[in-house]
Amino acid sequence: MIRRFPFLSRKLQPPSVRHPALLQRWKKSNFSCALWAPSSTVRSLATGTVAGHSSDDDPSLSDNRQLERVSVQRSDGEMRWRYYKGFPDGRQELPTYVRQLGPAVLANPHINKGTAFLWSERERFHLRGLLPARMVSMEDQTDRVVEEFREGAWDKAARDPNDEMVSAGLTPDNIRKWEYLTGIQGQNETLYYRVLLDNFEEMASVVYTPTVGWACMNFSRMFRVARGMYFSSRDKGHMVSIAYNWPSHEVDAIVVTDGSRILGLGDLGMNGMGISIGKLDLYVAAAGFHPARVLPCVVDVGTNNDKLLEDKNYLGLNQRRLEGEEYLQVMDEFVAAVKARWPKVIIQFEDFRTEYASKLLERYRHHHLCFNDDIQGTAATALAGIYAGLAAMDRPYSDIRHLRFVVCGAGSAGMGVVLWLFKAMEKHGAGPEEAARKFWILDADGLITTARGDSFDETTRRFARPEGGDELNDGANVEEVVTKIRPEVLLGLSGAGRIWSPETITALAEGTERPLIFPMSNPSHKSECSAEDAAKYADGRGIFASGSPFEDVTYKGKVLPSNQSNNLYVFPGLALGAKLCQATLVTDGMIMAASEALASCNHPEDLVKGRIYPGLSDVRSISARVAAAVMRQAHSEGIATHPKAVAVMDREARADDNGEEEDDAKRIVGGVKQTLLETYILNQMYDPVYAPLAYVPPGVLE
């Protein structure tokens, strides 16, 4: 509720309200009202209502008054809100008295200023952390609205032949669908998630990759309604108190990014918030997290993207990125703040650049419940695809130790996949040296060999090939390596676009009967090859899986599946399992269990056709199976702490030991046998339906 009061009481009203003849005497007095004058710079007294609004108190105001806009600059450099002066009677804007704090202020269209809230107002109304760091004026907002009105983001992109998302194949229809769904989400979350859940297979590519890439690139330009929390290096020393500006006392999952490496689009700074929002939409739809208990976050430490720094619409900090110890201190404070506010929350690190992704994961994973999706989620999904590919060839999972891998991309995601495949080989009996010899890794400079010395971290050096070994020198290109090695698997996590030539794919197919072709870079135009190229140059014999979606390909009258090796198969279920059993950590064993569970979701008839990832029409059943495997592994490692979840797992184990097939131990759903634990997990998932509502007065049940 808001009301406009010229002053607190009639005694404090200006004489013009009670008697115009007293106006001059009252104006000569030294009285001032600090309630509505936020700084010493703006102390002139207001004697009327809001400019442009009618006044019941003083009908004598002329309708043709002229307004003079004045900018007020504080000594500390903060830009104050524009105000009006120059009325014939000295009137000026009076404050609106607000009885709300935090998100309620942003949700009220009568008082919301969006990113134009002053820093002092953000502090006073508990808005700090709920808006991007940059403060803009109303004139800036007006210019942005008019610009968008006259030419939308899509129209502007379509005029630019170098626009990345246009070249990726994104269409106006993708943007239309995204904007419409986003509008529904802002008005009715229950309806939004009902629609998304019921049409997940169709809509996943709109709310996530590849459309989410466009949403991130245009995040500042399209900013409408604040969602999530915006921490920045400017908040250093205050993050714990800022975390309490979020109204919910219960948050189960946080996805956080620093925007430094969004998909394959590079440094997008604060605009990376779009990926945190998109990921958590999948947490809700795919894994049944409650939308009121997930929190997208961005830690804005600046950007090295010159285009953003020069963009007047960019809402992030206009500074170069923090580096080194200064950067790590900001991240340390963020993690400490959210864990202090929500001790049981699971944190997913998303799209951090290579220099810090592994460093941050190792910094926190042994003490906090967290994981990095780019490193661990991508690796788990890739391993599941390799396992399923072996199953499609009627080979056991243990044969992974005999496969040879050529990997393009030595960043955090690429090396995360390599390390995970290496661990799978060790699990199936390969020694460390034997497993390491199965990899040929290429970066932007070509094949990595020992000739580069100590220019890489310890993990990458472990897989460096001997200089001159296999008759390949340092820097050999992918075609040379594939032609010489004849691997069974070609993996791409380079983000470099179409770097696999027809000759490369043909050489791969000549060396094995069913080559596994995995161009996993995102978005689609960053993929190392297309599904059509893989089908054509591998003569239709390859098993194809990409990071972003491609249409199935018809080759010589046969439909070849274009599988999508998408992390959404793993990270929602992984987070759900860790949350439901209240695991204290996310261990390698839990992630390995997630890989094997995902691989087991494929039906034999699909594997025969080369379809190595399950359909998404029943994505929650997939997440439930992944979550169940994660929970069982956590229980076996002694880190599952939720009593009820532990009791269910113990009961299920006893039933399995006794060979029981009780109705309450297993049931058939959709032709698939569902375990007791999977049933328990599905029952814990949020179901987007309209619930009965009851009014509770303030202070009751709080």
Side-chain angles (χ1 to χ4, degrees), residues 300-334:
D300 185 0
V301 295
T303 178
N304 293 334
N305 187 330
D306 291 331
K307 188 175 180 180
L308 289 179
L309 293 174
E310 297 168 1
D311 185 358
K312 62 184 173 117
N313 291 321
Y314 179 57
L315 297 176
L317 292 178
N318 194 5
Q319 66 180 41
R320 294 286 176 181
R321 284 190 169 275
L322 299 184
E323 301 288 353
E325 190 61 29
E326 193 175 8
Y327 170 83
L328 294 175
Q329 287 175 4
V330 172
M331 291 307 304
D332 285 347
E333 184 174 348
F334 166 79

Side-chain angles (χ1 to χ4, degrees), residues 238-379:
H238 303 280
M239 289 189 185
V240 171
S241 58
I242 289 173
Y244 279 85
N245 286 344
W246 190 253
S248 176
H249 296 296
E250 295 181 323
V251 171
D252 294 326
I254 287 175
V255 174
V256 61
T257 184
D258 68 351
S260 57
R261 192 195 62 82
I262 301 299
L263 299 172
L265 303 173
D267 184 352
L268 296 185
M270 184 283 306
N271 287 348
M273 172 59 101
I275 198 70
S276 296
I277 293 172
K279 288 278 186 177
L280 285 173
D281 281 347
L282 301 185
Y283 269 62
V284 176
F289 280 77
H290 196 287
R293 298 176 66 154
V294 297
L295 178 59
C297 292
V298 63
V299 179
D300 185 0
V301 295
T303 178
N304 293 334
N305 187 330
D306 291 331
K307 188 175 180 180
L308 289 179
L309 293 174
E310 297 168 1
D311 185 358
K312 62 184 173 117
N313 291 321
Y314 179 57
L315 297 176
L317 292 178
N318 194 5
Q319 66 180 41
R320 294 286 176 181
R321 284 190 169 275
L322 299 184
E323 301 288 353
E325 190 61 29
E326 193 175 8
Y327 170 83
L328 294 175
Q329 287 175 4
V330 172
M331 291 307 304
D332 285 347
E333 184 174 348
F334 166 79
V335 172
V338 296
K339 293 299 285 189
R341 177 77 165 96
W342 304 286
K344 295 180 180 179
V345 71
I346 182 169
I347 302 173
Q348 175 181 322
F349 294 102
E350 183 66 27
D351 285 348
F352 286 76
R353 56 182 168 155
T354 302
E355 297 94 309
Y356 292 107
S358 298
K359 185 179 294 185
L360 291 175
L361 179 61
E362 288 303 314
R363 194 177 184 91
Y364 306 125
R365 66 175 301 195
H366 303 293
H367 311 285
H368 300 294
L369 185 63
C370 65
F371 68 100
N372 183 301
D373 182 51
D374 304 296
I375 297 174
Q376 296 165 295
T378 301

Side-chain angles (χ1 to χ4, degrees), residues 82-405:
R82 304 261 183 181
Y83 69 97
Y84 297 100
K85 77 173 188 179
F87 295 125
D89 58 356
R91 285 175 178 262
Q92 163 181 310
E93 177 93 31
L94 281 178
T96 296
Y97 293 94
V98 180
R99 304 187 187 281
Q100 299 164 317
L101 293 172
V105 175
L106 300 177
N108 189 329
H110 299 293
I111 58 177
N112 182 26
K113 302 176 185 179
T115 51
F117 276 107
L118 304 174
W119 288 114
S120 56
E121 289 176 320
R122 297 184 187 203
E123 194 72 50
R124 189 160 62 248
F125 292 108
H126 298 187
L127 300 178
R128 196 166 173 183
L130 303 183
L131 292 165
R134 183 179 177 186
M135 192 197 82
V136 301
S137 68
M138 191 175 191
E139 285 74 15
D140 295 330
Q141 292 177 318
T142 301
D143 291 343
R144 182 162 57 90
V145 170
V146 172
E147 181 182 352
E148 189 65 25
F149 174 80
R150 292 174 177 167
E151 182 182 42
W154 170 255
D155 297 320
K156 185 176 180 180
R159 285 192 297 102
D160 182 2
N162 297 318
D163 185 271
E164 289 197 72
M165 299 314 296
V166 174
S167 60
L170 209 64
T171 66
D173 198 44
N174 293 112
I175 309 306
R176 177 191 65 79
K177 291 174 180 177
W178 178 86
E179 290 183 324
Y180 180 69
L181 288 176
T182 301
I184 295 294
Q185 185 178 24
Q187 297 174 346
N188 187 335
E189 272 200 336
T190 306
L191 177 61
Y192 170 77
Y193 286 114
R194 179 79 269 162
V195 172
L196 181 56
L197 178 58
D198 292 345
N199 303 274
F200 190 81
E201 194 162 18
E202 177 184 359
M203 295 182 174
S205 63
V206 174
V207 301
Y208 192 45
T209 56
T211 314
V212 72
W214 177 89
C216 289
M217 294 181 69
N218 293 276
F219 187 85
S220 290
R221 178 179 178 134
M222 303 296 294
F223 184 82
R224 302 284 188 276
V225 179
R227 293 187 61 197
M229 294 204 73
Y230 300 79
F231 294 87
S232 76
S233 53
R234 181 171 181 170
D235 299 321
K236 189 176 179 182
H238 303 280
M239 289 189 185
V240 171
S241 58
I242 289 173
Y244 279 85
N245 286 344
W246 190 253
S248 176
H249 296 296
E250 295 181 323
V251 171
D252 294 326
I254 287 175
V255 174
V256 61
T257 184
D258 68 351
S260 57
R261 192 195 62 82
I262 301 299
L263 299 172
L265 303 173
D267 184 352
L268 296 185
M270 184 283 306
N271 287 348
M273 172 59 101
I275 198 70
S276 296
I277 293 172
K279 288 278 186 177
L280 285 173
D281 281 347
L282 301 185
Y283 269 62
V284 176
F289 280 77
H290 196 287
R293 298 176 66 154
V294 297
L295 178 59
C297 292
V298 63
V299 179
D300 185 0
V301 295
T303 178
N304 293 334
N305 187 330
D306 291 331
K307 188 175 180 180
L308 289 179
L309 293 174
E310 297 168 1
D311 185 358
K312 62 184 173 117
N313 291 321
Y314 179 57
L315 297 176
L317 292 178
N318 194 5
Q319 66 180 41
R320 294 286 176 181
R321 284 190 169 275
L322 299 184
E323 301 288 353
E325 190 61 29
E326 193 175 8
Y327 170 83
L328 294 175
Q329 287 175 4
V330 172
M331 291 307 304
D332 285 347
E333 184 174 348
F334 166 79
V335 172
V338 296
K339 293 299 285 189
R341 177 77 165 96
W342 304 286
K344 295 180 180 179
V345 71
I346 182 169
I347 302 173
Q348 175 181 322
F349 294 102
E350 183 66 27
D351 285 348
F352 286 76
R353 56 182 168 155
T354 302
E355 297 94 309
Y356 292 107
S358 298
K359 185 179 294 185
L360 291 175
L361 179 61
E362 288 303 314
R363 194 177 184 91
Y364 306 125
R365 66 175 301 195
H366 303 293
H367 311 285
H368 300 294
L369 185 63
C370 65
F371 68 100
N372 183 301
D373 182 51
D374 304 296
I375 297 174
Q376 296 165 295
T378 301
T381 307
L383 176 58
I386 299 299
Y387 278 155
L390 287 169
M393 293 182 273
D394 201 25
R395 297 172 64 179
Y397 292 173
S398 58
D399 273 6
I400 191 173
R401 61 180 293 185
H402 302 304
L403 299 181
R404 290 164 296 173
F405 295 83

Side-chain angles (χ1 to χ4, degrees), residues 620-672:
R620 286 199 167 182
S621 292
I622 299 171
S623 294
R625 181 170 294 190
V626 171
V630 168
M631 292 171 70
R632 293 187 191 103
Q633 182 64 31
H635 187 31
S636 70
E637 295 180 23
I639 57 174
T641 63
H642 194 285
K644 188 171 182 179
V646 169
V648 172
M649 288 186 280
D650 287 341
R651 180 181 173 191
E652 181 185 68
R654 287 195 299 271
D656 289 340
D657 290 342
N658 296 331
E660 299 176 3
E661 292 286 345
E662 300 176 3
D663 291 340
D664 62 345
K666 293 185 179 180
R667 63 175 184 169
I668 306 297
V669 178
V672 178

